[in-house]
Amino acid sequence: MPRMIYDYTKSVLERVSFDPVLFCKELRKALKNLLPYELEQLRKWLQNYTTEKPELRQYISIVN
């Protein structure tokens, strides 16, 4: 089940990436729902995902 939450979180973040404020809000929700190892995976995914979206790179620090 937690794996499904991680995948769902990535899906939501991709869908709201057009709006940095909404992206940040959803990222904060993810911090409450994901397990520690999933947060590490999410941080790595964010580093790759935000290479093409520099306006979102500042939010990676939320996961750290």
Side-chain angles (χ1 to χ4, degrees), residues 1-9 33-35 37-38:
M1 182 62 124
R3 189 77 200 157
M4 292 173 59
I5 294 172
Y6 172 73
D7 291 336
Y8 176 73
T9 299
N33 295 322
L34 296 177
L35 298 172
Y37 76 92
E38 292 173 319

Side-chain angles (χ1 to χ4, degrees), residues 11-26:
S11 159
V12 169
L13 289 172
E14 288 174 346
R15 283 185 271 153
V16 300
S17 64
F18 66 91
D19 181 1
V21 174
L22 192 53
F23 186 85
C24 180
K25 182 179 175 183
E26 291 298 330

Side-chain angles (χ1 to χ4, degrees), residues 9-55:
T9 299
K10 286 191 333 184
S11 159
V12 169
L13 289 172
E14 288 174 346
R15 283 185 271 153
V16 300
S17 64
F18 66 91
D19 181 1
V21 174
L22 192 53
F23 186 85
C24 180
K25 182 179 175 183
E26 291 298 330
L27 193 53
R28 290 185 191 280
K29 284 184 192 177
L31 295 177
K32 297 176 186 176
N33 295 322
L34 296 177
L35 298 172
Y37 76 92
E38 292 173 319
L39 288 174
E40 181 62 26
Q41 290 177 333
L42 184 65
R43 186 183 61 73
K44 291 176 183 176
W45 176 81
L46 281 170
Q47 287 176 334
N48 290 328
Y49 184 71
T50 58
T51 55
E52 297 176 10
K53 299 179 181 292
E55 68 276 9

